[in-house]
Amino acid sequence: MDFVRWFATWLIAFRERRPRDDTAAFVYGGRRGGKTFACLLCLLATVLDVPELLGWAVSVSHVERDVDIDRNIKRLVPAAWYSYREFPSHKYTFLNGATLTNISAVDPEKAKRGQADFIFINEGGKMAAGVYENSLGGTADRGGLVVVASNPPMTTKGEWVEVEVTAAAEAVAKGETPDARVFTVDWKKNRAIDQGARARIGRILRRLNPALADADDLGLMKPVGGRALYAFDKVKHALRPRPDIGFITEAFTRQRWGAPLPYLLGVDFQKRPHIAGTVWEL
């Protein structure tokens, strides 16, 4: 609901051509939280509300598109309101002149195709970063929006989702406005699913695959792949200094040891398996 309420304000401003400060938004969390459905409803609201709008729905493949996009459009929108052509492009044309084109992410270059006013990327964590990167440029003409729905990525292919979500958290922690808005979704608040079944699935995943349980059940956004510093968190451990304070490492080391030093090093010498070290700026 936080995402939908925010989106409603964006849509009004876009329709009335008022100033807007947003280019991208991420809606992420565990599976069955309602991310895809909410984002698709917002896409359809925009298509129906803004004449001549150019909309895209980007899916991992056209097979997944049929399940997540087309099926719900047919359920939600009266057939008399649109026409659909499979060739030369998978495109819905609505009575107000707005269009919604289905795009497959199999080839990321397919997202580099001129102007678009609203782009919905579904299951971003399964796609290459090029899909997102190429989509952003298409919205520049009218100050449109890219919305990404995603579970926490499990492979390096979708690592860009974690990078963008972490960057937004860093910006918020520093009191800045993030370049991309981030909204988290919790399946426990989704009344449209069987909560008991979903909870049992989560417990099974926890026993068999804790990493998958963190992503699909808890919706935790963690760095992808094996990491030596697996608990490292950019927001907690690598914040840049406040502009009014700046770095004080050299002042501290001069006061403490009589010499201005740019870094402090901590090293723990071990026989096995390896030597651990940290680098500090104050």
Side-chain angles (χ1 to χ4, degrees):
M1 292 306 299
D2 290 340
F3 164 69
V4 174
R5 290 189 182 103
W6 167 82
F7 180 81
T9 63
W10 180 90
L11 175 54
I12 293 171
F14 178 80
R15 183 186 62 203
E16 299 179 358
R17 299 185 179 182
R18 300 206 307 258
R20 300 171 303 282
D21 296 325
D22 297 289
T23 296
F26 284 75
V27 183
Y28 87 93
R31 293 181 67 184
R32 310 315 303 154
K35 301 180 294 297
T36 295
F37 190 68
C39 291
L40 178 61
L41 286 178
C42 290
L43 170 59
L44 291 175
T46 309
V47 167
L48 296 174
D49 203 37
V50 182
E52 307 295 330
L53 181 108
L54 301 175
W56 299 356
V58 185
S59 302
V60 176
S61 67
H62 282 305
V63 174
E64 293 202 19
R65 174 213 84 207
D66 187 56
V67 174
D68 292 330
I69 306 298
D70 286 354
R71 179 173 64 94
N72 283 314
I73 290 177
K74 292 171 183 175
R75 288 171 54 201
L76 296 165
V77 183
W81 289 13
Y82 65 85
S83 61
Y84 180 72
R85 294 190 65 179
E86 192 86 14
F87 183 83
S89 59
H90 304 267
K91 181 183 292 187
Y92 293 88
T93 301
F94 294 83
L95 295 179
N96 62 358
T99 60
L100 171 55
T101 303
N102 282 316
I103 298 173
S104 168
V106 172
D107 179 3
E109 291 298 308
K110 293 289 187 182
K112 189 184 291 183
R113 52 169 67 193
Q115 180 184 343
D117 302 316
F118 187 104
I119 301 174
F120 168 37
I121 298 177
N122 191 33
E123 298 288 0
K126 297 180 181 180
M127 300 179 188
V131 176
Y132 175 60
E133 295 161 357
N134 290 328
S135 295
L136 288 170
T139 64
D141 293 57
R142 295 178 62 187
L145 187 69
V146 177
V147 173
V148 181
S150 180
N151 299 328
M154 296 298 295
T155 67
T156 54
K157 185 176 185 179
E159 190 169 12
W160 60 273
V161 174
E162 187 267 331
V163 171
E164 285 290 83
V165 169
T166 301
E170 286 184 77
V172 171
K174 291 186 287 187
E176 301 172 355
T177 301
D179 293 322
R181 300 251 183 186
V182 173
F183 300 88
T184 56
V185 173
D186 185 355
W187 62 263
K188 297 181 183 67
K189 297 179 181 179
N190 186 357
R191 299 178 183 177
I193 65 172
D194 187 322
Q195 292 286 325
R198 185 65 184 81
R200 288 192 295 275
I201 292 169
R203 292 193 294 270
I204 294 171
L205 289 179
R206 177 64 53 189
R207 289 195 297 272
L208 300 178
N209 190 335
L212 182 60
D214 285 344
D216 278 8
D217 188 43
L218 299 183
L220 298 181
M221 190 68 73
K222 293 183 175 182
V224 177
R227 303 292 175 101
L229 297 176
Y230 58 87
F232 179 78
D233 185 323
K234 281 188 176 182
V235 176
K236 295 179 181 178
H237 306 136
L239 281 180
R240 295 291 87 192
R242 282 168 42 190
D244 58 327
I245 296 177
F247 286 109
I248 62 168
T249 314
E250 293 189 1
F252 175 81
T253 55
R254 181 189 294 111
Q255 183 183 57
R256 186 70 177 267
W257 294 293
L261 305 174
Y263 302 101
L264 294 175
L265 307 180
V267 182
D268 183 11
F269 293 96
Q270 298 289 334
K271 196 170 185 178
R272 70 167 73 89
H274 48 247
I275 297 172
T278 56
V279 182
W280 296 76
E281 291 180 279
L282 309 180

